[in-house]
Amino acid sequence: MSSEEARAIELLGRVPYGRVATSMRALPFVAPARHIVVDGCVLLRLHAGLGYHHACLGSVVAYGADNLGSGEVDVWSVQFTGTAEPFEPTAGELALFGDDPRAVDGEPFDPVYMRIEPQFVTVHSLDYSKERQLKYVA
């Protein structure tokens, strides 16, 4: 695992949700998903009722997460690209996912799980510290 991949995995562990992106009927879409990282793979939980998993399974997808709304000085964004495959989570993995939402768009939550083994990993960072901003003003 490269240092960038290790950094991306570490950052992903700091936030519980991200967005999975692929295309459905030749149109791009982005859907929210809960994630955990196990053995270098990104494991996702989505709501089956939306049907997005049908477009993802067996296809190359991008999964991204960030801390953009956190108010932190160091802002980051990670993206993993790989093939999404179905999987059945173990009891330990289910515990890591935590509680299911009660509903999605007003209908009862029906979980579906996917595994992404990252093929490409990208990490972006933005530094909003005051010290750095003052250098640019001077």
Side-chain angles (χ1 to χ4, degrees):
M1 180 180 294
S2 74
S3 61
E4 181 151 323
E5 290 170 331
R7 174 82 173 133
I9 293 291
E10 186 270 324
L11 291 170
L12 195 62
R14 295 183 186 185
V15 295
Y17 289 91
R19 291 156 298 284
V20 63
T22 193
S23 64
M24 181 183 281
R25 294 186 284 284
L27 298 173
F29 76 88
V30 178
R34 172 73 168 99
H35 66 260
I36 59 173
V37 178
V38 175
D39 297 329
C41 290
V42 180
L43 308 180
L44 304 181
R45 179 182 72 192
L46 295 111
H47 174 52
L50 299 175
Y52 295 145
H53 63 290
H54 294 298
C56 294
L57 294 174
S59 298
V60 173
V61 301
Y63 186 73
D66 57 61
N67 72 340
L68 296 175
S70 69
E72 292 182 23
V73 172
D74 293 318
V75 176
W76 54 265
S77 173
V78 298
Q79 179 175 298
F80 296 83
T81 304
T83 303
E85 299 295 341
F87 85 101
E88 284 297 320
T90 65
E93 290 165 344
L94 286 172
L96 290 173
F97 274 113
D99 293 336
D100 290 346
R102 186 178 52 77
V104 173
D105 294 339
E107 61 181 71
F109 183 73
D110 179 18
V112 63
Y113 299 92
M114 297 186 297
R115 173 190 325 264
I116 303 170
E117 187 169 340
Q119 306 285 311
F120 300 102
V121 177
T122 305
V123 178
H124 296 289
S125 61
L126 299 100
D127 181 350
Y128 282 96
S129 65
K130 293 201 183 289
E131 178 182 310
R132 190 156 177 90
Q133 288 176 8
L134 292 175
K135 285 182 182 178
Y136 293 119
V137 172

